[in-house]
Every structure is written in structure tokens, then in C-alpha cells.
Amino acid sequence: MRFKQWAIKRKWRLGILAVLLIAYYFMLPRKLFLSPTSFVLEDSKGELLGATIASDGQWRFPADKQVPEKFEKCILAYEDKRFHYHWGVDPLSLGRAIRQNISGGRVVSGASTITMQVVRLYRNKPRNLWQKAIEMLMATRLEFSRSKKSILALYAGNAPFGGNVVGLEAAAWRYYGRNANQLSWAETATLAVLPNSPALIHPGRNRTTLMRKRNDLLKKLWQNGTIDSATCALSSIEPLPDKPHPLPQLAPHLLDRFRADYKKHPTEAPTRLRSSLNGELQENVNDILLRHHRQFRANGINNAAALVLDVETGLALAYVGNVYDPADPEMESYVDVIQAPRSPGSTLKPLLYAAMLNDGLLLPHTLVADVPTQMGGYVPQNFDLGYDGAVPASQALARSLNIPAVRMLQQYRSERFLLLLRKLGISTMSKPAYHYGLSMILGGGETSLWELAGVYASLARTMLHLEQYNGKYDADDYHAPGYRPDVTLPSRHVPSQYGLLDASAIWYAFQAMEEVMRPGEEFVWQQFSSSKRIAWKTGTSFGFRDGWAIGVTPQHVVGVWVGNADGEGRPGLTGISTAAPVMFDIFRLLRTSGSFPAPVAKLRNIAVCRQSGYRAGEYCGDADMLAVPAAGLRSAVCPYHQLIHLDATGRYRVTADCEPPHRMQHKPWFVLPPAMEHYYKATHSYAALPPWKPGCITETEQGRSMELIYPRPQARIYVPVELDGSRGQTVFKATHRHPGARIFWHLDNAFVGTTTDFHQMPLRPSAGKHVITIVDDDGEQVRQTFEILEKEK
């Protein structure tokens, strides 16, 4: 019976013990501190770039796992010198405190260890004997679950340091403007005494008490051999901190983006981010933008942004979302322009050039028409309002000519180009292709500096991986940029037989971009072997609202935007005059060298007509071998070289109807359409076709010597009303191959005049549809319909 009772009692005791052990085990949560923390942004080396105050109004950085050695020695000497030798409760300190409190008749010493103080900070309960007992019990439990270093880090990260400053790291930045690892012994000792009496930090009070406590701690450090006497003496005369320092604001816009991204996808990860930014580069880019901004402000331009990407990783090395001056509301410096959709101007032209090379629609130097152009109601103009007649596609890109670009997009099709842009990573152009039309290539859509720089970084990365892929392109190279080294950047896989863009097409686009004239340097930079090879492109949006510059090297992509965040346009706000100088100043900071290697495995040698840039046909007299993208093998044969028949003298063109074949001379001739020829021969060496031998022209040759330049077929023209209420004049323009030829003009079959040499005819047609007819002395005739609109559409 006794044994049975003993066994029952034993079970009860074991059960109670088990319950107590379980309660002891679960008396502390897995995570002690749940208070909101500041969002902290660091550069790639861990240097602070910026931080925000926590949502509860406290400067509380996420606790660091490492405590600076100086602070560890200071806090242990001041608070818990046997920290490394007890299990949460120091019996010697406890006995001393009891003896002092009894003899003094009041609380003289609390005997709290660092571990107990961590528990007290976590519980935040009133101080009394019962709570002290609970703290002691929980401190032992904390010692079993955490290492000494972890406990010390919890204390340093959550102790109060006066005012709204919590944690050692926040205190170091607020009171000394530096990282805690960079503090002197005097500065560290000052912070070590504050958690015990945080009110001492008030800049206007308690200075003597704070100084005494700090110096007492320095003496302890000298006495225990931590510092020598000279260090102690010098540290004792260092001044105390004054008013709190503002935290760095080197990347405020990226900090805001980090905070926004974190709130979209909240996790238990700390609100501290070691970003991919290079702190020194970030600071220098900020300075460059500020320096140029002083000039921009004189023209009413308030905002500028710059982004530097590492090509290999696609990560941001510098991120300046705007010139930052929150004190001036007019500047709207809070707007992160790097993420803002803006009109890209001409910065998409290299992508179209590469796409057409990729598909064999042109060769690198194929002539593209540059003549007055009207497509429906759309009339593109070159920036200089001039015309070349015909220009090699590579030069059209290097010179950023608008009319050739629009004609190229018309050939490639806007629907197809928009699909390509989306595959490359431009998500901002979400509307159908007809919404943007052909103006898409001149900035008719919108994209962000972030996405645009990411596209060019992906193009450059493709060139760097040629050997890895054995000369084959892989579309996985395309992915958006990033700023977090801890996050793997997603790839945009677009399976295709030939890839999204062939490496050889990209290489030719970069080659053309390298030939762009740098602002203020003409072509002189090419004469210096030390000059950096940079493929770059500028852009200017309609109305002078956005100035862009994007530059690419094998190592870096630099993107710059200049303008007004509210969209206000300013005279002279062009990419070449505002954004390009900033971009080149940034490139001077970067260690970049070399140029992109030619993708030899992806190139094919073919004969190319020297004059037209097309694949050489049988009548091309001068042909060169050129390495072109593989798709160039199926490109069109030169349409501008033809075989002409001359009389025996070689002065006149003839046919078999007026000249015996055995007396003819047969010569290949470079012949452009009349409108192209009209502008081309003004700036190029061009041999015009010989005239027809009198009486030799036939009906089959009609209409080949002249062309209407304006209006284009089916044109719809709005003519503004003059001040007197009458309709303004419309100037009709034509060209003829033969100097001195006369052209007879007819409007709706009514004769209106004759022109010689300079073929322009001002007329005032009424509203509605009309027919303009021109006839030359040989009877050649060109007819064209057009419409005069009542109102502008």
C-alpha cells in the first residue's frame, strides 16, 4: 500500500516536474522583440546609405548579429563584468546588491546582468521583487537558448539610448554620425553608460553627470588593462555629443523603393538591406548631378536622375532617382524618376536597327530614304529639318535621323516592334500598337529609365557570353535589373529558332552607337587611344520634356534622364545638351575598357554594293565583302543599280526603237528615285542619268524623270487661316532629274503655272479632295490626290 502511494506521488511529482520543464521551455518566444524597426539601406560593403524612422516614431535599426569589440568591453565593464561566466544570474552581484540595499535602507544596486536586462527590455514590466524574480528565471532560460554573443547583440540592438533612439547602431549615427565600429573609446564609453540612464543624453542638461559616468568607465577600462593610461587621459577630455546628427541620405529613392517592395511582400526578414550599390560611386554620381543641376535650374529644369548598372549581374551600382532637395517643394525631388514612365525619345532606335538586321530586312549600311514623308496624317521631321535623300542605316542611327527611323518601322511593322519591346522587358507600353503608331520609334510611347537600362544591359550581357554559348545566342540573357544581391534576377526566356536578337545584330547596333558624336568634342575623341569606347544614344521627347542618354560598355550601362517631373517642357532641353554631358562625367568615374568582341561565329561574308549597302546584284560595279548577320544572306538585292543603254557617244539614253543595238553602249548605273536623288545629290557625288536622245522616249519610260515631293499620295493637309480670315497657302514641291526642265502644274485639270529648275508652286485649294498633276516638256505626267481639311485632325 505504501509502495503504491509512493508510486502515485512519484508520478505526480514527475508530472508536475514535466509541466514545469515544459513551461520553462516555452516561457520565452522564438522571437523576443517585435517592435517595428527602421528601414536601413546599406551599400555593398555595409556602409549606411540611408534609413527611415520606424513606424512607432523610434530610430530603431534591426539588431546586428555582431557587437563592436569596443562596445562589448565597455558595456561589460560597466554593467556585467562576469557576463561570460554566469548563466543569466550573477550570484556574487546578487549577494552584493542584497547587502548594499539592506545596509542602505533603499535600493542601491539592482544586480541585473546583461541577460536579465534583455529580458526586462522584452517584457517591459514594472520593477519590483516579483518581476525581478521572473526576470532571473527567464534569464537562465535565455542563456540555454542563445549564445553569449547573441544575447549581447540583443541588448545592443534594443537598449534605450535617450530620446527616440533605440539600439547601439542608431545611437552611433544619431549622436556621432558614424558607424558604431568607427567610434573612439570615449564615444563608445558614452554610449555604454546611456542605457542605464538614457535621460543623461539631453544636450541642455546633465552634461556634468554624463561626463563623470563616462570618465569613471574609462578609468575602469584603464584599470582592467583594456586601454592604456594615455588613451584614458586623452579620451577623458573628448567632448560629449551635441544635438543629434541627420542620417545619410545618399540613396533616398532606392530606400523608398526597398520599403515599398518590402510592404508589398512582407516577410520575417529584417528591414535592413545590403544593396548592390557602390557607396563611393553613389556619392560621386550625386555630386555630378548636383553640379549639372545648378546649370539646369537656370533654364527652369528642376529634375535629373542617373542609374549605373553592372552588365554581368544586371545589378545597380548607383541609383539616383532625382536631385534630392526636400526643402524646395518646387523641385518635387521626392519623385523617383528612374521608375517613372516617360517618353523615351529616340533611345529605342538601336533596338529597331538590331531587329531589322536580325531578320534580314536590311544590311548594316543599307540606304534608307530620307525625304519629306507623310503617312496618313503623320508627318515626321528630322531634328535639323533637313533631308539627305538617302542615308546608310548605320549613319541614320548614329545621327538619330527621324524620317529613316519611321520608314524602317513602317517596313518592320509597329505591331511586331511592340511585341519585341515587351519581350525585351519594357512593360510600360501596355496599349495596342495602333495607339502608338509609327511615332513609337520617336518616343510616342513611354518607358522608364529602369527598364530601358535593363534592356541595354541585357544586350551587352549577350555579347559577353559569346564564348560561353559557343557563338549561339540564348534569350535567357534578358532580365530586369535589380538592386538586391541576395535575390536571383528572373530571366525572360523567349524560345526561338534564331533567338530574340542575334548577337551579330546587337554588335552592329553597338558599332553604330559608338560612332555618335560626343557633345563638345566633335570627332576628336576617336584620335586618342586612351579614350573609352562607349556605345551611346540620346533621346529627346516631343515638346522638349525629356532629355535622355544611355551608354553601354562591356562592364557598365549608364542611363541619365533630365527634365521636369511635372512634364513641363523647356527650350533647349535635349538629350545631347543636358543628359549626355552628365552621362560622360559618370563614365569618367568608372573603370571600363575595351569594346565588344565581334561575334565571328554568327557573321557571314557576302558581297555588298558599295554605293547602296544592299546585297550586290549583277549590275553593282563596286562591291565589297562584308561580314553581316546570317539573316543578311536572304536580304534584298540592290534595287538602285540598273543597266542603261547609251548611244555611241555615251551622251544619251536610247532604246532599240531609235538606236541600232550594235551601236549601243551598255553601262550599269546607280539610279535613285527622283525625290531621293533631289536631296542626295546636294551633298554626295552623284552621276545623274543622261537625258533621252531626242525622239527616243517611249510610253514605258513615262513618269521616271520626275516626282512629287509634296504632297505625298492621299495626303490630308490642314492649312491654318491667315489673320485676315483667308486660307493660307500650300506650297507644292516636285523634282526633276534634268536641270532646266520645265514642269507644267495643273490643279483639278486647271493649269496653274510653270516652274523651271526650282519646282515649287504655292496654291490655295479649297477644303475637300483635289488632284494635282505635273507634266514636263517630254509629256511625262504624275498625278496625285490629296485632301484639304477644314479643321486640324
Side-chain angles (χ1 to χ4, degrees):
M1 188 68 177
R2 286 184 176 179
F3 179 78
K4 187 175 181 179
Q5 291 177 346
W6 178 84
I8 292 174
K9 289 180 180 179
R10 184 172 182 273
K11 287 182 179 179
W12 273 101
R13 293 188 189 101
L14 290 175
I16 292 171
L17 180 61
V19 170
L20 291 175
L21 287 174
I22 292 173
Y24 181 74
Y25 181 83
F26 288 105
M27 68 190 316
L28 283 177
R30 183 176 62 89
K31 188 173 183 180
L32 291 181
F33 298 97
L34 299 176
S35 299
T37 55
S38 301
F39 283 89
V40 179
L41 182 68
E42 300 173 341
D43 72 358
S44 58
K45 296 180 180 179
E47 295 296 327
L48 184 67
L49 295 174
T52 64
I53 198 166
S55 59
D56 61 354
Q58 305 293 306
W59 285 106
R60 184 189 297 108
F61 286 15
D64 202 340
K65 295 181 180 179
Q66 299 294 328
V67 176
E69 183 181 0
K70 286 181 182 179
F71 184 77
E72 179 178 351
K73 292 183 180 299
C74 287
I75 197 64
L76 296 187
Y78 188 73
E79 293 279 4
D80 192 355
K81 62 183 178 181
R82 284 179 290 275
F83 173 73
H84 288 290
Y85 305 104
H86 61 66
W87 284 3
V89 178
D90 185 354
L92 295 178
S93 294
L94 184 61
R96 174 180 51 79
I98 293 174
R99 185 175 64 256
Q100 290 177 346
N101 294 340
I102 292 175
S103 62
R106 59 186 178 86
V107 177
V108 177
S109 176
S112 291
T113 63
I114 294 291
T115 313
M116 292 171 62
Q117 293 185 54
V118 170
V119 173
R120 185 171 69 243
L121 290 170
Y122 150 65
R123 298 180 69 240
N124 193 25
K125 298 292 185 180
R127 295 190 181 188
N128 55 47
L129 290 177
W130 172 246
Q131 297 298 336
K132 177 73 73 173
I134 296 177
E135 288 173 8
M136 293 170 66
L137 182 63
M138 296 180 77
T140 61
R141 175 67 186 89
L142 184 59
E143 288 278 348
F144 283 121
S145 61
R146 303 291 182 96
S147 66
K148 290 289 186 180
K149 285 189 175 182
S150 176
I151 294 170
L152 195 59
L154 284 173
Y155 176 80
N158 295 278
F161 284 84
N164 65 342
V165 180
V166 177
L168 172 64
E169 193 173 1
W173 280 105
R174 289 291 286 163
Y175 298 138
Y176 294 107
R178 311 197 281 286
N179 190 289
N181 289 295
Q182 300 170 335
L183 300 181
S184 67
W185 280 107
E187 293 165 342
T188 305
T190 303
L191 296 184
V193 305
L194 278 179
N196 190 269
S197 304
L200 294 178
I201 196 59
H202 193 285
R205 301 194 302 264
N206 308 319
R207 310 293 284 177
T208 303
T209 304
L210 180 58
M211 179 76 78
R212 176 177 55 78
K213 288 194 172 215
R214 183 200 70 179
N215 291 347
D216 288 345
L217 176 54
L218 290 171
K219 288 180 182 178
K220 282 186 180 182
L221 295 174
W222 169 46
Q223 290 168 358
N224 67 19
T226 302
I227 60 176
D228 55 32
S229 59
T231 302
C232 179
L234 292 173
S235 299
S236 298
I237 62 175
E238 284 191 25
L240 294 175
D242 201 355
K243 61 181 180 180
H245 292 258
L247 268 65
Q249 292 183 324
L250 295 177
H253 301 95
L254 185 57
L255 177 61
D256 288 343
R257 178 172 183 184
F258 166 53
R259 182 170 57 176
D261 290 347
Y262 188 94
K263 291 180 178 178
K264 287 179 185 176
H265 307 286
T267 64
E268 292 189 1
T271 56
R272 179 197 302 269
L273 174 65
R274 179 170 288 195
S275 70
S276 59
L277 298 192
N278 180 313
E280 182 180 357
L281 177 63
Q282 177 75 14
E283 192 167 2
N284 287 332
V285 172
N286 271 316
D287 291 342
I288 288 173
L289 279 180
L290 281 171
R291 187 172 70 248
H292 284 273
H293 185 254
R294 297 187 189 101
Q295 301 174 4
F296 299 155
R297 286 298 299 272
N299 189 28
I301 302 171
N302 296 324
N303 306 105
L307 177 66
V308 181
L309 298 181
D310 176 76
V311 166
E312 186 61 41
T313 64
L315 294 172
L317 301 179
Y319 187 111
V320 182
N322 209 333
V323 178
Y324 196 63
D325 185 6
D328 187 350
E330 182 183 353
M331 285 182 56
E332 298 184 273
S333 61
Y334 57 86
V335 178
D336 183 0
V337 187
I338 288 178
Q339 302 297 330
R342 308 286 301 201
S343 167
S346 298
T347 57
L348 302 181
K349 288 177 181 176
L351 306 181
L352 175 61
Y353 177 74
M356 296 190 71
L357 289 174
N358 182 77
D359 292 352
L361 296 177
L362 54 73
L363 296 180
H365 313 301
T366 296
L367 284 181
V368 183
D370 181 24
V371 297
T373 300
Q374 184 172 4
M375 299 173 179
Y378 180 50
V379 183
Q381 296 284 344
N382 292 326
F383 189 78
D384 62 1
L385 302 180
Y387 307 98
D388 277 37
V391 60
S394 57
Q395 287 188 23
L397 174 58
R399 294 170 54 193
S400 195
L401 297 177
N402 291 338
I403 292 175
V406 170
R407 286 178 169 268
M408 289 165 63
L409 181 58
Q410 184 184 39
Q411 181 183 1
Y412 190 78
R413 292 187 300 109
S414 56
E415 298 87 352
R416 191 177 178 192
F417 186 57
L418 180 59
L419 179 61
L420 173 67
L421 294 179
R422 289 171 178 168
K423 288 180 178 180
L424 289 175
I426 293 180
S427 63
T428 48
M429 297 175 65
S430 57
K431 296 181 180 179
Y434 65 78
H435 173 81
Y436 308 107
L438 296 176
S439 66
M440 183 193 316
I441 197 61
L442 306 183
E446 290 184 330
T447 189
S448 66
L449 184 57
W450 182 252
E451 289 188 345
L452 186 66
V455 169
Y456 278 98
S458 296
L459 295 175
R461 191 159 45 251
T462 300
M463 302 305 302
L464 297 183
H465 292 169
L466 289 175
E467 294 183 3
Q468 176 182 347
Y469 297 135
N470 193 26
K472 295 181 179 179
Y473 165 74
D474 191 332
D476 280 341
D477 278 337
Y478 287 90
H479 61 66
Y483 63 93
R484 303 187 58 150
D486 59 327
V487 176
T488 302
L489 296 178
S491 296
R492 296 182 177 273
H493 181 63
V494 186
S496 169
Q497 179 181 359
Y498 300 104
L500 193 56
L501 283 179
D502 191 89
S504 57
I506 298 171
W507 182 74
Y508 265 112
F510 284 165
Q511 290 294 107
M513 291 168 67
E514 286 185 0
E515 300 304 318
V516 179
M517 182 177 63
R518 297 187 180 186
E521 297 184 14
E522 306 299 344
F523 288 104
V524 178
W525 67 274
Q526 295 176 327
Q527 309 302 320
F528 298 93
S529 59
S530 62
S531 295
K532 296 177 181 179
R533 301 291 300 181
I534 300 170
W536 64 290
K537 185 74 187 74
T538 60
T540 304
S541 67
F542 178 78
F544 301 100
R545 294 180 174 90
D546 307 88
W548 296 76
I550 190 88
V552 187
T553 69
Q555 295 82 25
H556 302 102
V557 169
V558 176
V560 176
W561 174 92
V562 176
N564 287 307
D566 61 4
E568 180 188 0
R570 298 299 302 170
L573 202 174
T574 64
I576 193 70
S577 62
T578 59
V582 177
M583 182 193 70
F584 282 112
D585 280 353
I586 294 173
F587 265 117
R588 292 186 184 98
L589 300 174
L590 302 173
R591 293 182 179 179
T592 183
S593 60
S595 57
F596 293 99
V600 178
K602 300 289 287 181
L603 295 171
R604 301 292 183 270
N605 288 316
I606 64 172
V608 174
C609 181
R610 185 179 300 173
Q611 285 179 289
S612 70
Y614 279 85
R615 190 156 57 94
E618 61 176 317
Y619 299 127
C620 288
D622 297 320
D624 300 311
M625 296 303 295
L626 182 66
V628 302
L633 297 175
R634 57 178 185 269
S635 63
V637 175
C638 176
Y640 298 132
H641 278 86
Q642 57 183 275
L643 190 67
I644 66 171
H645 311 291
L646 304 176
D647 66 0
T649 66
R651 295 172 54 193
Y652 298 101
R653 281 185 289 163
V654 295
T655 67
D657 295 333
C658 60
E659 188 81 8
H662 68 275
R663 297 186 59 187
M664 292 183 185
Q665 299 183 36
H666 310 287
K667 289 186 178 182
W669 209 277
F670 178 58
V671 183
L672 292 174
M676 293 172 63
E677 176 188 287
H678 174 74
Y679 294 99
Y680 186 83
K681 65 185 180 182
T683 55
H684 296 79
S685 175
Y686 180 81
L689 277 171
W692 286 102
K693 189 173 182 179
C696 204
I697 192 170
T698 64
E699 292 186 3
T700 59
E701 302 297 335
Q702 291 281 336
R704 295 186 180 183
S705 296
M706 61 180 177
E707 184 176 350
L708 264 170
I709 297 176
Y710 185 83
R712 305 306 296 170
Q714 307 301 323
R716 306 180 72 194
I717 305 169
Y718 170 72
V719 184
V721 176
E722 302 288 356
L723 293 176
D724 60 1
S726 63
R727 187 179 301 278
Q729 287 185 329
T730 300
V731 178
F732 295 80
K733 187 174 182 180
T735 183
H736 201 288
R737 292 192 188 279
H738 306 305
R742 289 187 303 172
I743 292 181
F744 304 93
W745 297 77
H746 302 76
L747 179 63
D748 299 327
N749 296 321
F751 176 73
V752 292
T754 305
T755 56
T756 306
D757 294 326
F758 191 66
H759 303 292
Q760 290 190 3
M761 180 63 64
L763 299 172
R764 284 192 171 89
S766 60
K769 293 185 177 181
H770 299 274
V771 177
I772 187 76
T773 307
I774 56 175
V775 184
D776 70 358
D777 288 314
D778 294 322
E780 292 189 31
Q781 184 181 105
V782 176
R783 293 171 59 88
Q784 213 147 274
T785 60
F786 65 95
E787 182 179 3
I788 299 294
L789 303 175
E790 285 283 2
K791 296 181 179 180
E792 187 173 11
K793 295 185 179 181

